[in-house]
Amino acid sequence: MQAVQFSEHGGRDVIEYGDFADPSPGRGEVLIDVKAGALNHLDIWTRKGLPGIDLEMPHIPGSDAAGVVTEVGEGVSRFSEGDHAAVSAGVSCGECEFCRDGEESLCVSFHIIGEHVRGVHAEQAVVPADNLVPVPDHVDWEVAGSASLVFQTAWRMLLSQGDLRPGESVLVLGASGGVGHAAVQIADYAGAEVYATASTEEKLQHAEECGADHVIDYEANDFAEEITEMTGKRGVDMVVDHVGAATYPDSLKSLAKGGRIVTCGATTGPNPDAGLNRIFWNQLSVIGSTMATPGEVDDVLELVWDGTFEPRIREVLPMSEAARAHEMIENREGFGKVVVRPDSEL
């Protein structure tokens, strides 16, 4: 088969698209013929190298994909040949106390397909059956292959961890990215008043189309000052911040008393000034979130499959142009998801 791969960490020049051994499913696993996948910032970090993660090389990146089941391993009953399925990348150990029978997994041993183990940006991929979600036949491959990671992450952040309620106000930072544009849609669906930041007029317009009530160009304006003015000095009830060190201080400033930040990542660095004085004085909460439980994944993807939520596609590229796809993510070009498809599917 052909696969996106790299044999060492580094810049985009380490990415290749070429021959790779055909995979075969083991017990509890499923082989899918990949029709489409999508990139996430995680793919950039994995390519550059993450501390403490020793990958088997060559590594196939990719945490998002969808395709047709072509073979099932021993013990698999949920899927049959010909089924359409999408990958849900978080893998729990299934044994420790934090798995809680899979219903509310906080498993400390969990790993992510494409980050800790080989991913799915290839013509074929073997995935544990527990990490596949059925996809209705009417759903386009670009949608099925790009929705899972960002929508499950945003759903858990806002609703499960953040407990966002109707009538509350929420600020979504980086609304043009994958998690950001999913968070705008979910916050609007939850009945919140949605503020969103982006860096160009085109991206701000897309954010409004996704459900943002108010938009802020963070390149031209200090978003914390804008929130203070827009809310009559009150602030918002929740900030969705996956940017990290560069935005965290202003995220705290943007919160109303008793407000909360929910974070799933730190693309600009993980160690900002904690701001403890502001946290205790205004009785703020800082809440971590990552991935989602199986039930949460099912809930949010049902709303993608029926069209309630829509992963916006900025570009569809052949996998042989994976380096260009990485460039688009790194340079923050466009709005929404970058999709890659095997060259044989185009």
Side-chain angles (χ1 to χ4, degrees), residues 187-241:
D188 179 56
Y189 172 82
E193 183 174 10
V194 185
Y195 298 79
T197 71
S199 59
T200 68
E201 285 299 320
E202 181 182 13
K203 291 178 180 179
L204 292 171
Q205 181 178 344
H206 281 301
E208 290 178 320
E209 292 171 358
C210 284
D213 301 294
H214 315 277
V215 293
I216 300 168
D217 182 344
Y218 68 80
E219 294 279 9
N221 302 285
D222 182 305
F223 74 80
E225 292 180 358
E226 291 292 299
I227 288 294
T228 297
E229 181 177 344
M230 289 178 170
T231 63
K233 298 184 178 181
R234 177 188 183 274
V236 295
D237 297 300
M238 179 188 294
V239 176
V240 175
D241 187 341

Side-chain angles (χ1 to χ4, degrees), residues 221-298:
N221 302 285
D222 182 305
F223 74 80
E225 292 180 358
E226 291 292 299
I227 288 294
T228 297
E229 181 177 344
M230 289 178 170
T231 63
K233 298 184 178 181
R234 177 188 183 274
V236 295
D237 297 300
M238 179 188 294
V239 176
V240 175
D241 187 341
H242 50 86
V243 182
T247 55
Y248 177 80
D250 282 340
S251 292
L252 288 179
K253 292 178 185 177
S254 300
L255 287 172
K257 290 184 182 298
R260 56 229 190 255
I261 292 178
V262 187
T263 178
C264 69
T267 57
T268 61
N271 297 308
D273 184 334
L276 293 179
N277 56 335
R278 188 179 293 272
I279 288 173
F280 70 68
W281 188 251
N282 288 331
Q283 302 183 73
L284 307 178
S285 300
V286 180
I287 303 168
S289 184
T290 190
M291 309 297 288
T293 67
E296 290 164 344
V297 173
D298 290 341

Side-chain angles (χ1 to χ4, degrees), residues 95-101 104-108:
E95 299 175 356
C96 73
E97 64 176 296
F98 298 104
C99 280
R100 299 183 190 172
D101 298 322
E104 188 64 25
S105 178
L106 299 173
C107 181
V108 295

Side-chain angles (χ1 to χ4, degrees), residues 320-333:
S320 59
E321 295 182 23
R324 170 58 183 150
H326 279 236
E327 182 181 30
M328 293 184 71
I329 298 294
E330 287 185 279
N331 293 341
R332 297 181 295 139
E333 298 178 31

